[in-house]
Amino acid sequence: MFRFQNHIARTLVVLFTLLFSVTAFSQISAKPSAAQIEMFKKLPKSQQQKIAKEMGVDLHSMLDRNTTEQKNTDGNTKKQPEYHYLDQMPVSELSLKEQDDNEPAKLKPFGLEFFEQNQDAFLPNGSIPIPADYVVGPGDSINISLFGKESSQFTSVVNNEGALLIPGLEPLIVAGLTYSELKDYIEQTVKNKMIGIKSAVSISNLGGIQVYVIGAVKKPGAYHLSSLSTVTNALFISGGPNEVGSFRKIEVKRAGKTVANIDLYDLFIFGDVSNDIRLQQGDVVFIDSIGKQASIDGKVRRPAIYELLGSESVTDLIDMAGGLDIEAYPNHVLLSRFSDSFQRTLKKLNLRDEASLKSKLENGDYITVLPASQVVEDAVYVAGSVARPTTYAWVQGLVLSDLISNKSDLLTNTDLNYALVLTRDTLDQYVVNQFSPKELLSGNSISLNPGDLVLFFNRFDNSIYEFEEIDSIGFEFEEIDSIGSEFAAMSGFDTKYNYLYSLQTGSFTEKQKALLDTKELSRDELLKPINKILAETTRAGKFSPLIQVTGQVKFPGTYPLPQKASLREALAAAGGLTESANLMKGEVSRSYYLEDGSVSTKHMPLDLVQSFTLKKDSSLVLKPRDVVNIFQKPNWNDELTVTLRGEVKYPGAYTVDEGEDLASVISRAGGLTEFASLESAFFTRKALRALEVKQARDMAKALSKELALKSISS
């Protein structure tokens, strides 16, 4: 039932995708409706991208536009500002590479991603404690509490002249004092001039300051900020450096003098805020234009374009990039540099060499850190129908029984008569060895070499777990599959997985995943990659070491040919004979080259009884491209049944002989009841059901075309 629902769901997805892509999005480039967008969001991501690309629209802008319009349902379509903290930014927005589906990733200047969103959230608010070194200025509100022989409490604001007015005292000039100095000054003044009175001082509200952010900045101008604002606050509110702005040469000017030099790399890379000074009224933050740059790509943690101050080395650039990735190959790093003639030259760096690490960088340098080899040395792989498909360490003298020692290492459905070992010989050619897992468990082990792949197979076909048909629907699964087969690629269904390619080229984790996935693969899916590599590595003038086994065997197909393979081994590979196999009659078709280079075929009769009574060494030895055909028994027919339902005395399924007619079957069923209507009888068979399925499929195609034409005409 589960598999039937699976097929129905796949069919609905395929038909929905076809109709949706043709009708709902035929005019999407103009302006899609909200309902269309909602339907679009329910599709898989890959399908969204494909439809958007075909219709010539940008996927992200379309979805963003729909979200904005939904939020502004009152008719006001003005986009509201969005505020994000750094740890709330999507990972994609923090990426240092620009990715295009059709182009390789391009490096971006490091630091720009921190200013991609409006960062008003970085502005300090009133809930922040006032630091002791805060410099008091005009507009600050000071709370003063007097207690002793007389008690009072009041708030005084520092005026534009920097003075603070306290009843009973002359104006106190406090502008320019730090917060701690202010408290000491007021407390001492009150103590000395107001006998018997003590005071407590706090700042209740801060006055604002006006600073100027100019130079290579995205939004230059004058900004009114909190008195606690620092240089980075001013940079974030102004959008940060623009495309030509420097992240490392930022000056703070006060009264015509430079009071601080800011390097944002200290903050972004090392978290150092020691130079992030607090701004004062009238300060100017000046962003210089960018100077030298160097790029680093490949196996580093943060590939990007980095700004240089002039004295950085290769080590410094790698540190800026977060260090080497765990898969980096430090022995051969490429440095591309402009020569005096402005041509690119290549230089090899060895990051284990001190001289290479201390090499000074120049403007325009491009460093590429190559990946390490993914070849796993001294390893063997066990895959397929086993309890633990994985990689094993190879040691001298390793045998297969060291890895598979008892039946618990296999699965209950493991084929105990057929397994393979794929290895490479001294000429780098692939060689296949066939063995019986049953004999392995009995003590006949096999020596293993580094890089060997051991394959175990399922003794059942996948169809053993499937129902042949669903009577209530009248559809067979193969017919349901055929409805959506024409659009399977469009729907993103991919049922094949080449595990052998991952074992040869993937990383260690990819190899492990590929091996684990082989546990669910069928015999055919396990053998196809091996057959392909054997065929592609065969020398010219030779036949591929493959054979075909057809006819009355459990798994007809193409199989790798082991060395000196016999007929017994070929039949074991095909799962053994079926009950309809003719033991007296079979055939082997063999191809061979003629003197003129052409290929001819000869056919040799087979007597399976005679072949199986011979000793193993004397049985037929197969050769590349042989075709073994096992014939069917004479007059063999699969069980033929006819089901009678309705108004017959004994309804049910009846076995029929070849040539028997319907009247004979009804007679065997006791004949018709007294309520039977001969004019209302209904007869159906598989061929008719297949015709009904074809008609339903044709109707679905016609309906989709009609809907598409109506959509275009509207």
Side-chain angles (χ1 to χ4, degrees):
M1 186 64 184
F2 175 75
R3 178 172 171 82
F4 174 73
Q5 292 173 345
N6 240 357
H7 282 273
I8 290 295
R10 287 174 56 187
T11 303
L12 292 176
V13 169
V14 170
L15 292 178
F16 172 78
T17 304
L18 174 65
L19 297 177
F20 189 81
S21 61
V22 174
T23 59
F25 285 90
S26 59
Q27 297 176 343
I28 196 171
S29 59
K31 186 176 181 181
S33 66
Q36 289 174 333
I37 296 294
E38 288 304 314
M39 294 175 66
F40 182 79
K41 288 180 178 179
K42 296 178 181 179
L43 289 175
K45 187 69 174 179
S46 58
Q47 191 61 34
Q48 292 179 3
Q49 295 173 345
K50 182 172 183 179
I51 293 176
K53 184 177 180 181
E54 290 178 352
M55 299 304 165
V57 298
D58 179 71
L59 177 63
H60 299 291
S61 63
M62 179 176 63
L63 296 178
D64 291 343
R65 178 178 61 186
N66 179 71
T67 303
T68 304
E69 292 177 355
Q70 287 181 344
K71 290 181 179 180
N72 294 280
T73 54
D74 57 352
N76 181 15
T77 58
K78 182 178 179 181
K79 186 176 180 180
Q80 300 298 320
E82 299 178 356
Y83 307 105
H84 299 272
Y85 291 97
L86 281 179
D87 58 355
Q88 295 174 335
M89 290 186 185
V91 175
S92 59
E93 295 181 2
L94 290 173
S95 173
L96 299 180
K97 287 191 176 185
E98 296 177 349
Q99 184 67 47
D100 193 316
D101 292 339
N102 300 321
E103 295 182 1
K106 297 179 180 178
L107 292 180
K108 293 174 60 178
F110 174 75
L112 286 178
E113 70 280 359
F114 291 102
F115 298 99
E116 288 182 352
Q117 300 290 336
N118 189 351
Q119 298 298 328
D120 284 357
F122 278 93
L123 290 179
N125 53 46
S127 62
I128 297 178
I130 308 301
D133 61 347
Y134 170 71
V135 178
V136 178
D140 290 343
S141 299
I142 311 298
N143 279 339
I144 303 175
S145 299
L146 301 177
F147 54 92
K149 61 181 181 180
E150 295 180 3
S151 298
S152 62
Q153 183 175 353
F154 56 91
T155 300
S156 180
V157 178
V158 180
N159 60 27
N160 292 334
E161 296 179 354
L164 186 67
L165 301 180
I166 300 177
L169 296 176
E170 70 275 11
L172 304 179
I173 305 300
V174 297
L177 298 177
T178 65
Y179 182 31
S180 61
E181 292 172 342
L182 170 71
K183 292 193 290 183
D184 291 341
Y185 178 45
I186 294 178
E187 289 174 0
Q188 289 298 325
T189 301
V190 170
K191 181 179 180 180
N192 295 333
K193 295 188 177 183
M194 303 176 70
I195 306 301
I197 303 296
K198 295 183 179 180
S199 65
V201 179
S202 64
I203 297 180
S204 61
N205 192 25
L206 298 177
I209 59 173
Q210 180 172 286
V211 298
Y212 302 89
V213 184
I214 58 176
V217 62
K218 290 180 181 177
K219 294 180 290 184
Y223 290 89
H224 187 78
L225 306 176
S226 164
S227 300
L228 289 178
S229 297
T230 64
V231 179
T232 53
N233 296 138
L235 292 175
F236 278 114
I237 195 65
S238 63
N242 58 22
E243 291 79 3
V244 298
S246 171
F247 282 78
R248 310 195 66 183
K249 295 184 293 183
I250 301 173
E251 296 180 347
V252 179
K253 298 179 181 295
R254 184 174 297 161
K257 296 181 179 180
T258 300
V259 295
N261 291 287
I262 307 298
D263 185 348
L264 287 179
Y265 280 17
D266 291 339
L267 171 63
F268 295 158
I269 298 176
F270 307 109
D272 183 5
V273 294
S274 58
N275 290 329
D276 188 20
I277 66 171
R278 191 173 296 112
L279 296 174
Q280 296 183 15
Q281 171 66 29
D283 281 355
V284 175
V285 179
F286 175 73
I287 301 178
D288 202 351
S289 58
I290 198 168
K292 296 181 179 180
Q293 290 179 307
S295 306
I296 186 167
D297 199 2
K299 291 300 179 178
V300 291
R301 302 186 187 279
R302 196 166 45 234
I305 303 172
Y306 291 90
E307 184 179 350
L308 305 178
L309 292 180
S311 59
E312 289 85 354
S313 64
V314 172
T315 300
D316 296 326
L317 183 60
I318 293 175
D319 290 341
M320 293 179 193
L324 298 179
D325 189 86
I326 57 174
E327 296 182 352
Y329 182 60
N331 293 356
H332 193 117
V333 174
L334 297 178
L335 170 60
S336 175
R337 174 173 292 172
F338 284 110
S339 65
D340 294 338
S341 58
F342 299 99
Q343 298 293 322
R344 280 282 183 184
T345 60
L346 281 180
K347 179 182 178 182
K348 173 190 171 183
L349 299 176
N350 184 350
L351 299 186
R352 294 185 175 182
D353 179 23
E354 194 69 22
S356 294
L357 291 173
K358 292 182 177 180
S359 299
K360 297 300 180 183
L361 295 173
E362 297 181 6
N363 189 27
D365 281 357
Y366 197 110
I367 292 180
T368 303
V369 181
L370 302 175
S373 173
Q374 298 297 336
V375 176
V376 180
E377 297 180 352
D378 296 339
V380 294
Y381 307 101
V382 178
S385 185
V386 290
R388 293 173 295 276
T390 187
T391 304
Y392 290 91
W394 180 87
V395 294
Q396 190 70 37
L398 181 71
V399 293
L400 185 54
S401 58
D402 294 334
L403 310 179
I404 308 295
S405 58
N406 54 64
K407 210 167 183 178
S408 63
D409 294 325
L410 304 177
L411 301 179
T412 56
N413 57 4
T414 302
D415 191 336
L416 297 179
N417 296 313
Y418 179 59
L420 294 178
V421 176
L422 181 66
T423 188
R424 285 190 179 186
D425 60 16
T426 55
L427 300 176
D428 204 29
Q429 293 293 308
Y430 287 94
V431 177
V432 174
N433 294 306
Q434 181 175 331
F435 68 95
S436 168
K438 185 185 300 182
E439 295 180 1
L440 172 67
L441 298 178
S442 300
N444 297 331
S445 193
I446 300 172
S447 297
L448 296 176
N449 298 312
D452 281 357
L453 170 63
V454 185
L455 281 177
F456 292 85
F457 299 91
N458 191 334
R459 63 190 175 97
F460 296 123
D461 189 0
N462 289 342
S463 62
I464 195 172
Y465 305 107
E466 302 171 3
F467 295 104
E468 184 178 355
E469 62 182 3
I470 301 297
D471 290 337
S472 60
I473 303 296
F475 281 54
E476 293 196 359
F477 283 122
E478 56 266 30
E479 298 296 343
I480 295 177
D481 282 341
S482 65
I483 295 178
S485 61
E486 298 175 38
F487 310 105
M490 183 176 68
S491 301
F493 295 118
D494 184 14
T495 59
K496 300 301 178 185
Y497 178 71
N498 191 346
Y499 67 95
L500 196 57
Y501 178 78
S502 296
L503 291 181
Q504 291 177 338
T505 63
S507 64
F508 181 77
T509 54
E510 291 171 342
K511 294 178 194 288
Q512 290 295 97
K513 183 180 184 305
L515 289 171
L516 188 61
D517 289 342
T518 60
K519 198 172 184 178
E520 307 297 331
L521 297 183
S522 67
R523 183 176 301 231
D524 182 60
E525 290 171 329
L526 285 171
L527 288 174
K528 273 186 176 179
I530 295 178
N531 292 342
K532 183 175 178 62
I533 200 169
L534 289 175
E536 291 181 350
T537 55
T538 300
R539 297 186 180 92
K542 300 287 184 180
F543 289 130
S544 300
L546 302 171
I547 60 171
Q548 275 189 301
V549 184
T550 62
Q552 304 308 303
V553 291
K554 294 180 180 178
F555 301 107
T558 302
Y559 293 90
L561 177 65
Q563 294 179 335
K564 297 182 180 180
S566 66
L567 180 61
R568 293 173 183 267
E569 292 172 319
L571 296 180
L577 301 173
T578 63
E579 60 176 335
S580 60
N582 189 337
L583 300 181
M584 308 294 293
K585 187 71 173 176
E587 186 179 70
V588 174
S589 300
R590 177 164 295 170
S591 301
Y592 58 95
Y593 284 108
L594 299 176
E595 293 182 357
D596 60 357
S598 60
V599 177
S600 182
T601 304
K602 65 178 179 179
H603 306 286
M604 300 175 290
L606 270 182
D607 186 335
L608 296 182
V609 175
Q610 183 180 1
S611 298
F612 288 162
T613 56
L614 296 174
K615 293 182 179 180
K616 184 175 182 181
D617 295 338
S618 303
S619 60
L620 176 66
V621 176
L622 299 177
K623 294 186 177 181
R625 212 180 178 186
D626 277 358
V627 179
V628 179
N629 187 9
I630 306 302
F631 295 158
Q632 193 179 66
K633 292 178 180 178
N635 300 322
W636 174 272
N637 284 313
D638 293 327
E639 186 178 5
L640 301 178
T641 60
V642 171
T643 303
L644 295 180
R645 293 177 180 171
E647 298 301 325
V648 292
K649 290 186 178 180
Y650 308 110
Y654 290 84
T655 302
V656 297
D657 297 327
E658 188 173 356
E660 187 174 0
D661 57 19
L662 181 60
S664 173
V665 179
I666 294 176
S667 176
R668 290 164 55 192
L672 304 177
T673 67
E674 57 181 315
F675 303 105
S677 173
L678 298 179
E679 293 80 8
S680 303
F682 181 82
F683 175 81
T684 185
R685 60 165 52 120
K686 181 183 290 188
L688 295 178
R689 290 203 302 272
L691 180 61
E692 291 174 355
V693 171
K694 182 178 182 304
Q695 291 175 341
R697 183 167 60 249
D698 293 341
M699 185 178 297
K701 290 181 180 179
L703 178 61
S704 65
K705 291 180 180 179
E706 183 178 353
L707 290 174
L709 290 173
K710 287 184 177 180
S711 176
I712 294 174
S713 61
S714 64

